[in-house]
Amino acid sequence: MRSYVAEFIGTFWLVLGGCGSAVLAAAFPELGIGFAGVSLAFGLTVLTMAYAIGHISGCHLNPAVSIGLWAGGRFAANQLLPYIVSQVLGAITAGAVLYCIATGKAGFDVSAGFASNGYGAHSPGGYSMQAALLTEVVLTMLFLVVIMGATDKRAPQGFAPIAIGLCLTLIHLISIPVTNTSVNPARSTGVAVFVGDWAVTQLWLFWLAPIVGAIAGALLYRYISGPKTA
């Protein structure tokens, strides 16, 4: 149960910090942090929580990561469902807190996006569904390679949170214009439920693509890492 609570808190922090920076600070008049700032915010949420709860739950914060680690032989199947439920509930709770904060400003319009992920007309750069699908699959795949490599017992110890946080930052720098960056079904769900309409209709892609990419990345790492040595 402590692991599940840790995953709830960690995913709450990821969505509040990452999506919160996008909704509240990205385009703030004259002092907005922009895409680079939002990218860094997402990376910092993972880096800080990895040090805070990594020793408790592994700090997955992401259903795709949990599924990928299972595919990579690093996570038990019987813990998948409770981890995913904890992550999604944490994300939705953060979305609710962010919604309450954002609506405190006159003229706020949740239908404008609320940091939701999308494709086509709802892609920040107008990218197609096919482009969004490819982006999310490939970037999640490489995210899993980094996660599994950085946490391998043969890797330098103590630096995994830095590598993983910086990887997520880089992923956002690449793909915010394409999909607003998901690579995390819980993150996508946590804000989409408050937008409804198109955000919920397009949510399938931001579950399917990250899960497919995570499984591919885990299997790829298992292949390139070779047999483990004692």
Side-chain angles (χ1 to χ4, degrees), residues 17-18 21-22 25-27 32-44 165-166 168-177 181:
S21 69
I33 62 174
F35 284 177
V38 173
S39 300
L40 183 60
F42 271 100
L44 288 173
L166 289 176
L168 189 60
T169 298
L170 177 58
I171 285 170
H172 279 77
L173 288 171
I174 296 167
S175 60
I176 286 178
T181 309

Side-chain angles (χ1 to χ4, degrees), residues 108-135:
F108 174 76
D109 181 13
V110 71
S111 66
F114 197 52
S116 289
N117 303 113
Y119 55 82
H122 303 291
S123 158
Y127 288 85
S128 68
M129 180 184 72
Q130 292 80 4
L133 186 67
L134 181 61
T135 298

Side-chain angles (χ1 to χ4, degrees), residues 12-191:
F12 176 94
W13 182 231
L14 183 145
V15 173
L16 185 64
C19 295
S21 69
V23 172
L24 304 175
F28 191 79
E30 298 181 10
L31 298 175
I33 62 174
F35 284 177
V38 173
S39 300
L40 183 60
F42 271 100
L44 288 173
T45 62
V46 171
L47 189 155
T48 52
M49 271 298 158
Y51 280 116
I53 66 169
H55 55 288
I56 300 171
S57 69
C59 193
H60 299 184
L61 318 185
N62 182 337
V65 169
S66 296
I67 293 170
L69 291 175
W70 163 76
R74 299 272 192 92
F75 192 60
N78 63 1
Q79 291 200 66
L80 273 178
L81 182 58
Y83 260 58
I84 291 170
V85 169
S86 299
Q87 292 156 359
V88 172
L89 289 178
I92 292 174
T93 304
V97 170
L98 181 57
Y99 180 82
C100 290
I101 295 170
T103 53
K105 179 180 179 180
F108 174 76
D109 181 13
V110 71
S111 66
F114 197 52
S116 289
N117 303 113
Y119 55 82
H122 303 291
S123 158
Y127 288 85
S128 68
M129 180 184 72
Q130 292 80 4
L133 186 67
L134 181 61
T135 298
E136 292 289 327
V137 168
V138 171
L139 292 182
T140 312
M141 178 181 72
L142 294 173
F143 192 32
L144 260 290
V145 170
V146 171
I147 290 171
M148 293 191 69
T151 56
D152 194 306
K153 291 181 180 179
R154 296 168 292 178
Q157 299 300 297
F159 298 101
I162 299 172
I164 295 167
L166 289 176
C167 181
L168 189 60
T169 298
L170 177 58
I171 285 170
H172 279 77
L173 288 171
I174 296 167
S175 60
I176 286 178
V178 183
T179 62
N180 226 10
T181 309
S182 172
V183 302
N184 184 337
R187 169 262 186 269
S188 299
T189 303
V191 289

